[in-house]
Amino acid sequence: MPVNLSAPVAADLLAINGVRIGVTEAGVRKANRKDLTVFLLDEGASVAGVFTQNRFCAAPVQVSREHLAGHVAGGIRAMVINTGNANAGTGADGLARARRTCADMAALLKLAPEQILPFSTGVIMEELPVDRIAAGLPAAIAAAKADNWATAAEGIMTTDTLPKAFSQSVDIGGRRVSITGISKGAGMIRPNMATMLGFMATDAAIAPELLQPLVKELADGSFNRVTIDGDTSTNDSFVLIATHQAGNAPVTSLTSAEGQALKAALLDVAQKLAQAIVRDGEGATKFITVRVEGGKSDEECRLVAYSIAHSPLVKTAFYASDPNLGRILAAVGYASIGDLDQTKIDLYLNEVHVAVNGGRNPAYQEEDGQRVMKQQEIIVRVLLGRGEAEQTVWTCDLSHDYVSINADYRS
């Protein structure tokens, strides 16, 4: 069961003027499941995205990057998302199939293929069934409506147990601006990007040239701070859409008061979407915040945090509620910080002071550690004693179910 996560309530999700979403069953991999989702964007919308850093990136990632970089006349006007098949590890044929999906969608909407972004998620190294997708597109387009975010969150799921969607509104220059986003992901989760698909839209008016640095900053503050199993997927994509229809004076600087307010609201949604992925991690029973403080730089804090968050020994100890906390100190030690002084390191579990100056706190009692380890939400704090930098990442435990889910994934 997901850790303190519930399915979104459709009525709580804000429609975004200029965005319509349609979902259908195309039988991409299995019958009787929502597996084809389309986003239709009004003319004038701006779109930016960040993608996986895996060099073996999927065909739709390559095509989406090309289309975003091409700055086609009329801009990006639609997105096509299929589940069940990643169209990764498919070579030139996979690229041709991703491009055909764009062409099929463009023909139905009387657009150029370069105005379409394709996205896929699912099994790697299998042929994308483009005929099934083409056959499903008319129904998906016909179903498109503004208040379809909850259904879209279902339509992009793979091994997720719950759909993930959140909304936020914020006042920008006296106008109400709306933000809604969805994400999917539960396994093969590792930053750069963390394995996932994420789509966020806002009706805010914002200078189009700000959208790319903004989506990168949002990803770095949310999706690039989560890990479940340390694997970087071939298909990770996070897209930000601005329709400019809220009526606010355009935001022209991210450092202005309006820019900061908009960015904070967007980051709030992005972090909720990212944390929901961890809460729904395959087999997860605990949600763990790893906070590293007192580093010389943000980068070394991240190295230590991910060393802890990726450790199978640490993660299985959390699953067992076993306060074998030397595993955490060991992970700190092999985090590639060459001049780390272990005598300055302190370790906390929630409020329990476990280690002081690199050794067991004389006041620490194992029953206190076990009490914390049994909780569903746990904060690990590591104090390095080296400087003022700090960084936070989110992870989960590693259970028997994780192995079972991934062993049976293609069944």
Side-chain angles (χ1 to χ4, degrees):
M1 292 291 292
V3 182
N4 296 331
L5 179 70
S6 56
V9 177
D12 293 340
L13 301 176
L14 302 173
I16 305 299
N17 290 332
V19 178
R20 292 180 298 126
I21 309 168
V23 184
T24 195
E25 298 176 2
V28 173
R29 182 171 180 80
K30 297 179 180 179
N32 303 315
R33 65 172 292 177
K34 301 179 182 74
D35 58 6
L36 184 62
T37 301
V38 299
F39 278 66
L40 309 180
L41 312 181
D42 282 1
E43 188 173 1
S46 302
V47 181
V50 288
F51 300 90
T52 181
Q53 296 300 303
N54 190 317
R55 297 299 299 170
F56 212 95
C57 60
V61 168
Q62 297 176 60
V63 173
S64 288
R65 281 174 172 158
E66 290 171 5
H67 290 185
L68 282 170
H71 303 292
V72 64
I76 301 300
R77 294 291 305 281
M79 304 189 302
V80 183
I81 308 145
N82 75 269
T83 65
N85 184 302
N87 195 12
T90 48
D93 178 72
L95 282 169
R97 289 170 183 267
R99 292 191 173 108
R100 182 187 151 186
T101 298
C102 295
D104 289 341
M105 182 74 164
L108 292 169
L109 298 176
K110 296 181 171 53
L111 299 170
E114 294 78 16
Q115 293 181 278
I116 315 296
L117 300 182
F119 302 90
S120 298
T121 182
V123 178
I124 295 171
M125 222 168 70
E126 291 190 0
E127 201 174 73
L128 184 71
V130 286
D131 290 339
R132 294 178 204 166
I133 292 173
L137 284 174
I141 292 170
K145 55 183 181 178
D147 59 348
N148 225 7
W149 286 93
T151 307
E154 293 180 43
I156 65 172
M157 291 168 57
T158 50
T159 59
D160 309 62
T161 68
L162 285 176
K164 302 163 181 67
F166 298 93
S167 284
Q168 175 71 278
S169 62
V170 61
D171 184 271
I172 302 293
R175 294 283 186 159
R176 180 175 179 265
V177 164
S178 298
I179 301 160
T180 299
I182 60 175
S183 66
K184 64 78 53 181
M188 201 186 280
I189 300 290
R190 167 71 166 93
N192 291 322
M193 295 279 297
T195 253
M196 44 137 310
L197 296 179
F199 305 98
M200 285 178 56
T202 178
D203 55 7
I206 178 171
E209 64 271 16
L210 296 182
L211 217 60
Q212 188 59 46
L214 177 57
V215 73
K216 176 67 166 60
E217 192 169 342
L218 294 175
D220 285 343
S222 59
F223 296 109
N224 282 344
R225 291 176 181 263
V226 301
T227 182
I228 288 174
D229 48 24
D231 277 2
T232 298
S233 168
T234 54
N235 291 61
D236 306 329
S237 306
F238 172 45
V239 171
L240 177 62
I241 301 160
T243 65
H244 313 292
Q245 295 190 20
N248 62 292
V251 174
T252 58
S253 169
L254 295 178
T255 59
S256 67
E258 293 80 8
Q260 290 290 305
L262 177 61
K263 185 167 65 175
L266 288 164
L267 184 60
D268 178 68
V269 174
Q271 288 185 341
K272 286 176 178 174
L273 291 170
Q275 290 180 17
I277 289 172
V278 175
R279 293 181 184 280
D280 195 25
E282 291 169 343
T285 69
K286 294 172 183 175
F287 178 83
I288 302 160
T289 299
V290 181
R291 184 177 303 145
V292 178
E293 306 171 16
K296 286 184 179 179
S297 67
D298 289 348
E299 178 57 23
E300 73 173 28
C301 289
R302 278 192 292 268
L303 283 171
V304 172
Y306 284 125
S307 185
I308 296 166
H310 290 154
S311 167
L313 290 178
V314 170
K315 292 160 78 70
T316 51
F318 276 107
Y319 173 65
S321 301
D322 175 19
N324 189 355
L325 302 176
R327 293 179 176 183
I328 296 177
L329 294 178
V332 173
Y334 62 64
S336 301
I337 310 299
D339 59 343
L340 187 67
D341 184 350
Q342 63 175 291
T343 66
K344 294 183 178 180
I345 294 173
D346 280 32
L347 170 64
Y348 289 81
L349 280 186
N350 288 1
E351 78 288 351
V352 177
H353 197 171
V354 175
V356 59
N357 297 330
R360 183 183 179 119
N361 181 1
Y364 170 68
Q365 300 294 319
E366 184 154 315
E367 54 266 31
D368 293 330
Q370 189 166 60
R371 171 176 50 81
V372 175
M373 296 282 273
K374 287 181 177 179
Q375 297 175 20
Q376 285 190 310
E377 306 224 8
I378 302 165
I379 299 174
V380 176
R381 288 180 61 219
V382 176
L383 283 62
L384 299 179
R386 293 164 55 83
E388 301 299 321
E390 60 180 71
Q391 290 287 298
T392 299
V393 303
W394 301 289
T395 190
C396 59
D397 57 340
L398 189 61
S399 71
H400 301 287
D401 285 345
Y402 176 86
V403 177
S404 298
I405 290 166
N406 282 283
D408 296 338
Y409 178 62
R410 297 206 307 163
S411 300

